[in-house]
Amino acid sequence: MRDREVEMTRAGSMMVMALLHAGCVQAAYDEARALSVTDASSSTTAQESTIGPAPDATAGGTVETVTGAGATTEVASSSSTTTGDPAAVPAVLEIVFSPEPITAAGAIAVEVTAEHAAGVAMQLNDAVPIDLSPAPLGKFVGEIAVETGLANGVHPATFVPRSDDSIGEPVIGHYTIALPSPGSEALWDAPPDFGKGQIAAIEVIDEAEVIAFGTVQVNGAPRCFLHRRDLQGQYSDDDFALVDADTNCAAIDLVIGEDASIWMLMAVIENGETRWRLMRTTWGAAPVVARTGLDGEVAHALAYGGGEKVVACGTGPAPGMSRDAWIWGLGESKAFDYAPNEKANEFAETVRDCKYTDRLVMVGEAYGFHDEELLQPPARDRMFVLETGLDAKDVAWHVAEIGPGTNTQSRATSLVIDAVGRYVIGVSTCTDLCEPAGELRIYEPGGKLVELTPLQADVMPPRELAWSPAGYMVMASARRVGDDSTEFLVQAFNPGEFEPAWVYGKAAAPALYQASALAILSGAVIAGGRDGDGYPAIAYLYP
């Protein structure tokens, strides 16, 4: 085994950097997960390291020492297998991580120089090795995705070169993640400029513009508004607009179309009647009405399925005195009745949230006499998951049973789809004398409950959920801090863990704060709601 010297530098040729995006890009959630609202273009001088033979050796091969700026790592090398000239054994000559350390959102560029190599594999912890992409001058390039400050620290990456008939010794390099603490505040803003009110929904356009949809009081009357900010939370006078200056309105939900169209769901009061309304616009254009609901219909959420596929979901009248789950689209409507005993309109169903996957998924509650084994069963709410392909026969109801513990009632409040297609659901549960407690549940497609996480006793049921590319769920709600006081609360939870991965709470003084909206973008968790003085509030948080 011959000695070699490996210098780890930040330098890289312009040709290699131009080819960087052709590299093999794979997120390793357990090892490198980060987002940040700070400028991802900043970088630091790369650690310069050399590899040389260590004084001692082990039975498995030589031990090499990587000496870097302020750090020394011993690297155990494995034996090579070759059928050709030993002098042609593939070997790693240089490893470059850029930036080093990474202090903001994005990816660490990886550049490996090797000799006699047809390929180089990179492995992060116990993740499946991935092949770097070949580049000119004996280089191989790739990326390490960094999504969260939960991964802060120094991490190893193992590189194994190979030729057509030989495998070289593995070499370990180290990269550093130094992001802001997850859940820490980058921005808090509750401007009084536009009046008192609350943000109901937040979405992001092209990872560049943050759009908040909410309600404010204008001369004592409720009006819906759109508010645009950049990725740092800044805005100008042109970034605030009333949706309809002449109509009493309450904001409900917001989705963004593929063409940057803005779809808004609201409740309007006209001629003394409250009706839901779906409107569409692009920034700077006059909003147009896409559909208005009928008397007795109540919409709670929007689902976007691409193109012109936008539906409002909620509850509407059913025959007799009952109510059904309903969806309303552009020209289509459909009612769904939960009838476990094939008795129509036995239960009253309400959809609280809905999302598209390969089908439409709805969550809410069904009210009625669920517990027939009781002599005189009381009418109760039970949360449901409803899956449909919109075909008349493609409908599947999954209604929760009693529990957990002594809880007899439940309702779903919010829904998000995780990275593998499971349904993450915010739930409110209680006994018959209802004092709501919050939960997070995860269901597999098909309705199987696989995880249940009870929230702390002082945390109110989830108002909104979002899924982070860092691999965790984010919840917006409020925490009780007194008889008449709450704090603006955002929590992140890793699947399978009861304790939050990080927590953000805001309350400048004893008052009623509320977080009710969430959006995720590269480098930030953005939460909206209301501050203690009753003004629309927004927070930019490090993930």
Side-chain angles (χ1 to χ4, degrees), residues 25 90 151 160 189 268 285 367 397 431 451 470 477 482 517:
V25 181
V160 180
D189 194 20
V268 297
Y367 178 76
W397 289 90
T431 62
E451 288 188 20
S477 184

Side-chain angles (χ1 to χ4, degrees), residues 203 252-255 265 298-304 311-315 325-327 350-356 360-365 384-387 411-417 424-426 462-466 516:
E203 290 288 346
I252 299 173
D253 202 4
L254 174 75
V255 295
L265 177 65
V298 180
H300 292 292
L302 287 178
Y304 180 69
V311 298
C313 52
T315 185
W326 276 83
I327 59 171
T350 299
V351 178
R352 301 287 174 180
D353 204 354
C354 50
K355 294 288 187 295
Y356 273 107
L360 181 63
V361 182
M362 295 170 274
V363 298
E365 77 273 0
F384 66 74
V385 177
L386 173 58
E387 301 169 300
R411 64 166 56 179
T413 61
S414 49
L415 166 69
V416 70
I417 310 300
V424 182
I425 304 172
R463 292 290 301 271
E464 182 62 293
L465 296 174
S516 53

Side-chain angles (χ1 to χ4, degrees), residues 201-203 211-213 226 252-256 262-265 302:
I202 301 175
E203 290 288 346
I211 306 295
F213 180 48
L226 289 171
I252 299 173
D253 202 4
L254 174 75
V255 295
I256 303 297
I262 302 170
W263 296 86
M264 299 164 287
L265 177 65
L302 287 178

Side-chain angles (χ1 to χ4, degrees), residues 185-267:
E185 180 185 296
L187 171 74
W188 168 265
D189 194 20
D193 313 39
F194 316 119
K196 293 193 174 184
Q198 180 162 329
I199 293 173
I202 301 175
E203 290 288 346
V204 179
I205 299 179
D206 297 331
E207 288 284 313
E209 297 178 333
V210 178
I211 306 295
F213 180 48
T215 308
V216 291
Q217 295 291 319
V218 178
N219 297 324
R223 297 288 186 266
C224 292
F225 71 86
L226 289 171
H227 190 196
R228 180 174 63 176
R229 294 175 182 255
D230 65 17
L231 301 188
Q232 287 72 47
Q234 304 303 307
Y235 64 92
S236 67
D237 291 341
D238 296 330
D239 291 324
F240 180 88
L242 294 178
V243 175
D244 185 341
D246 299 321
T247 301
N248 289 341
C249 172
I252 299 173
D253 202 4
L254 174 75
V255 295
I256 303 297
E258 296 168 341
D259 57 353
S261 56
I262 302 170
W263 296 86
M264 299 164 287
L265 177 65
M266 62 198 75

Side-chain angles (χ1 to χ4, degrees), residues 274-276 292-299 315-317 323 326 328:
T274 301
R275 299 171 182 260
W276 66 265
T292 298
L294 301 177
D295 185 35
E297 296 176 347
V298 180
T315 185
R323 301 183 68 78
W326 276 83
W328 305 274

Side-chain angles (χ1 to χ4, degrees), residues 84-146:
D85 183 356
V89 172
V92 170
L93 301 180
E94 182 182 63
I95 304 169
V96 177
F97 298 106
S98 179
E100 171 56 28
I102 187 169
T103 59
I108 298 173
V110 180
E111 179 186 282
V112 175
T113 303
E115 63 177 356
H116 310 306
V120 174
M122 176 178 71
Q123 184 174 22
L124 307 176
N125 277 351
D126 297 327
V128 176
I130 60 173
D131 286 333
L132 301 182
S133 294
L137 304 178
K139 299 184 184 298
F140 298 83
V141 296
E143 290 183 348
I144 299 172
V146 182

